[in-house]
């Protein structure tokens, strides 16, 4: 469900609307499954269908989608500090983001903030952990 | 599969052997499913059944189980630095650990090491992130 809301918000931001065919393509899921899930999200009050516009998020749906994207971006920002390759980061984040509670997300954000604000500290952590500074 | 190997290793460490009934109880999964999974793990060469001892891990099974437990412990150690309550930590770790690649685990270990070695730094990260020092 998270992945759908995330994708719908991305599509709305990019194109102004979210069509089942684009959600299906981006998630690699059949259009029938997408239609099914959209009905479920509609029943839960998270999306609605608007004539001529397609699927849009309700306020509640938008709130949840923004939280999902925030988790994704915070986890990505943290891991990018250490030169992990983008593919591994994306894969780990897509899995981890569904299991990160608000307190854990706050911890990761605080650590990322501290490391970004202090390049010497970051360099020290990288060195002591034998982590590369650059991808590869 | 990870959860089974993790549980089997825990049981062997605690009791010297792993019985299907205990795995079933600890994972909250039916004994039929456990028996099924044990057959699959056996076919993959990760566990074997020994007369009078029950299920034991092969060398390869033990190697994987130790890596799983290392992930669990490193993630837990990191989150414990910030006063997140134990229930939330356990829940997040049980979900996240299946999605943490080796490079990401190395990052989390390095950050946990740096924070443990430098209580002032830890205190600063806690303060700036408005994280509590104690559970609750
Ligand atoms: Mn995501
Ligand atoms: Mn675990």
């Amino acid at each position: 469900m998270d992945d759908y809301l995330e994708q719908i918000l991305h599509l709305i931001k990019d194109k102004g609307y979210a069509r089942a065919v684009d959600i299906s393509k981006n998630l690699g899921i059949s259009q029938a499954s997408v239609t099914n899930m959209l009905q479920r999200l509609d029943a839960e009050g998270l999306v609605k269908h608007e004539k001529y516009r397609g699927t849009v998020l309700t306020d509640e749906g938008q709130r949840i989608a923004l939280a999902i994207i925030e988790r994704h971006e915070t986890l990505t920002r943290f891991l990018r500090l250490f030169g992990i390759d983008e593919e591994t980061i994306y894969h780990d984040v897509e899995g981890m983001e569904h299991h990160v509670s608000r307190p854990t997300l706050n911890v990761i954000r605080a650590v990322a903030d501290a490391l970004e604000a202090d390049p010497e500290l970051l360099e020290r952590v990288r060195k002591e952990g034998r982590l590369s500074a650059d991808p590869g």
Side-chain angles (χ1 to χ4, degrees), chain A:
Chain A
M1 195 192 81
D2 287 6
D3 291 330
Y4 283 83
L5 293 174
E6 185 179 11
Q7 205 46 245
I8 291 167
L9 189 62
H10 280 312
L11 284 166
I12 291 171
K13 284 197 167 167
D14 287 357
K15 307 185 153 196
Y17 52 85
R19 294 182 311 162
V21 58
D22 294 321
I23 301 169
S24 159
K25 205 167 48 181
N26 292 358
L27 292 178
I29 288 168
S30 77
Q31 225 176 307
S33 303
V34 170
T35 305
N36 248 321
M37 179 54 100
L38 289 178
Q39 277 161 6
R40 216 185 101 190
L41 292 171
D42 189 306
E44 291 182 26
L46 301 177
V47 306
K48 55 183 191 282
H49 197 79
E50 288 190 354
K51 247 186 188 162
Y52 313 117
R53 260 195 90 194
T55 299
V56 296
L57 294 163
T58 63
D59 287 349
E60 174 71 358
Q62 167 120 353
R63 200 185 57 71
I64 296 174
L66 287 171
I68 293 164
I69 286 172
E70 185 200 355
R71 279 205 307 255
H72 185 106
E73 289 178 351
T74 300
L75 287 167
T76 301
R77 180 162 74 90
F78 171 63
L79 292 179
R80 277 200 182 135
L81 294 170
F82 297 96
I84 300 176
D85 70 277
E86 284 295 314
E87 206 181 322
T88 301
I89 291 177
Y90 184 77
H91 182 265
D92 286 14
V93 169
E94 276 301 300
M96 290 165 70
E97 68 185 0
H98 303 289
H99 306 281
V100 169
S101 66
R102 175 61 49 182
T104 294
L105 188 68
N106 290 343
V107 160
I108 290 169
R109 184 188 306 102
V111 172
D113 287 347
L115 291 167
E116 275 178 2
D118 187 344
E120 269 177 50
L121 170 63
L122 178 57
E123 195 49 41
R124 184 154 55 85
V125 174
R126 276 183 189 147
K127 278 225 177 89
E128 284 174 14
R130 291 154 194 257
L131 309 166
S132 62
D134 283 298

